[in-house]
């Protein structure tokens, strides 16, 4: 049986009176890309925020590599995670180099090790080395998103959390960065959780799917198994409406 990188055990989360996650249990496989797919308000991003401790559940627990998330030591736990969001989220006052290597510097990596990792990542994700001294505002959206992925990968974390990272990009840029993403996973295999509303993107990048609706899992399994045997009409329509676009 494949190891579980990220687990949710009977997790419930409320925002005010609204139950966003409803008694949800889920295991995300290690070294596999899992896409969490659902319409707006289904609870996709909330799951990622629960995973990295940005928010706490009212009930249930979150485990990262079989250890229950300890909110007293979140900085230590987050060193095992990379996190990238829609719109890149780069620090505007820092150069590309400074944005990417920030966490490695805080971890007191040696300069040679930092520079070696920086060079490896920007080459892997198709960034020009001359970008190192530039600031985020001077980059295109696709370039900024690549820098964000480099930053998330700097510490070579075993778990990568991606919250709609490509949704704001134009179709041509998105197609290009999808290729870089697949190259990244091939070069450094790890557990990746990709939140997306785009089923076509999920089918292209992921091996496993989690279909969410109203804070509950409708179906979880391999792309092929869900595609061939959708559990209900809603899941079937989700495939047809997205793939036919």
């Amino acid at each position: 049986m494949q190891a579980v990188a990220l687990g949710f055990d009977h997790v419930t989360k409320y925002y005010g009176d609204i139950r966003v996650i409803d008694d949800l249990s889920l295991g995300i496989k290690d070294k596999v890309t899992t896409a969490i797919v659902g319409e707006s308000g289904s609870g996709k991003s909330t799951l990622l925020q629960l995973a990295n401790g940005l928010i706490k559940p009212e009930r249930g627990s979150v485990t990262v590599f079989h250890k229950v998330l300890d909110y007293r030591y979140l900085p230590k736990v987050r060193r095992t995670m990379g996190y990238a969001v829609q719109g890149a989220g780069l620090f505007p006052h820092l150069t590309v180099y400074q944005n990417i290597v920030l966490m490695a510097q805080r971890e007191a990596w040696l300069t040679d090790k930092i520079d070696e990792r920086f060079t490896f990542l920007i080459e892997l994700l198709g960034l020009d080395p001359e970008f190192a001294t530039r600031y985020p505002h001077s980059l295109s959206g696709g370039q900024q998103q690549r820098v964000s992925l480099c930053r998330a990968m700097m510490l070579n974390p075993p778990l990568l959390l991606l919250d709609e990272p490509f949704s704001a990009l134009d179709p041509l840029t998105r197609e290009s960065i999808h290729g870089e993403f697949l190259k990244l996973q091939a070069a450094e295999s790890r557990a990746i959780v990709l939140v997306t509303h785009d089923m076509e993107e999920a089918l292209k990048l992921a091996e496993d799917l989690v279909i969410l609706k109203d804070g509950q899992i409708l179906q979880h399994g391999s792309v092929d198994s869900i595609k061939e045997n959708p559990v209900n009409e809603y899941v079937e329509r989700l495939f047809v409406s997205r793939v036919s676009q």
Side-chain angles (χ1 to χ4, degrees):
M1 185 175 178
Q2 194 156 0
V4 172
L6 177 64
F8 300 89
D9 185 20
H10 294 285
V11 168
T12 296
K13 177 64 186 175
Y14 283 86
Y15 286 127
D17 295 329
I18 300 173
R19 185 163 50 189
V20 182
I21 301 294
D22 185 9
D23 193 32
L24 181 146
S25 293
L26 172 66
I28 301 290
K29 294 177 187 174
D30 192 14
K31 299 189 184 303
V32 167
T33 299
T34 299
I36 300 178
V37 183
E39 58 196 12
S40 180
S42 62
K44 305 185 303 295
S45 294
T46 300
L47 276 185
L48 255 60
Q49 292 167 3
L50 287 164
N52 73 0
L54 283 172
I55 56 176
K56 295 181 181 180
E58 271 68 47
R59 291 191 296 274
S61 61
V62 179
T63 57
V64 180
F65 294 104
H66 301 285
K67 293 182 179 179
V68 176
L69 194 57
D70 191 332
Y71 299 94
R72 298 171 300 172
Y73 304 107
L74 283 177
K76 181 179 179 181
V77 177
R78 285 172 179 159
R79 292 186 195 111
T80 67
M81 305 178 189
Y83 190 57
V85 298
Q86 178 182 342
L90 302 174
F91 296 110
H93 61 291
L94 299 181
T95 65
V96 165
Y97 177 85
Q98 291 167 333
N99 264 285
I100 291 173
V101 308
L102 181 62
M103 290 308 299
Q105 289 176 334
R106 290 189 174 182
E107 290 295 297
W109 282 21
L110 296 176
T111 301
D112 287 350
K113 183 180 178 182
I114 289 175
D115 289 345
E116 181 181 357
R117 181 70 178 162
F118 172 82
T119 300
F120 170 78
L121 288 171
I122 63 168
E123 288 179 354
L124 186 66
L125 284 166
L127 289 167
D128 193 314
E130 70 93 15
F131 286 177
T133 57
R134 290 171 61 176
Y135 288 87
H137 70 82
S138 69
L139 305 180
S140 69
Q143 290 164 347
Q144 289 185 31
Q145 204 64 61
R146 285 178 170 87
V147 172
S148 179
L149 284 172
C150 286
R151 182 176 64 181
M153 297 297 301
M154 185 66 197
L155 297 183
N156 199 13
L159 174 61
L160 185 59
L161 307 175
L162 304 176
D163 191 357
E164 302 262 17
F166 315 127
S167 61
L169 303 176
D170 64 84
L172 285 177
T173 302
R174 187 184 302 184
E175 182 73 18
S176 174
I177 205 168
H178 281 169
E180 308 296 345
F181 176 90
L182 292 169
K183 222 164 54 172
L184 181 67
Q185 179 66 328
E188 295 184 338
S189 183
R190 72 193 71 245
I192 298 178
V193 185
L194 171 66
V195 162
T196 180
H197 65 276
D198 187 337
M199 180 62 82
E200 188 175 356
E201 180 173 80
L203 294 177
K204 181 177 181 180
L205 301 181
E207 298 152 84
D208 280 6
L209 294 178
V210 177
I211 311 296
L212 277 190
K213 182 173 171 58
D214 299 328
Q216 295 183 319
I217 297 173
L218 294 185
Q219 196 165 4
H220 175 208
S222 70
V223 168
D224 288 342
S225 67
I226 295 180
K227 193 174 181 180
E228 292 171 8
N229 299 289
V231 71
N232 59 24
E233 187 179 346
Y234 175 86
V235 175
E236 187 174 7
R237 285 203 316 269
L238 192 62
F239 271 84
V240 171
S241 63
R242 293 301 182 188
V243 176
S244 62
Q245 286 179 0

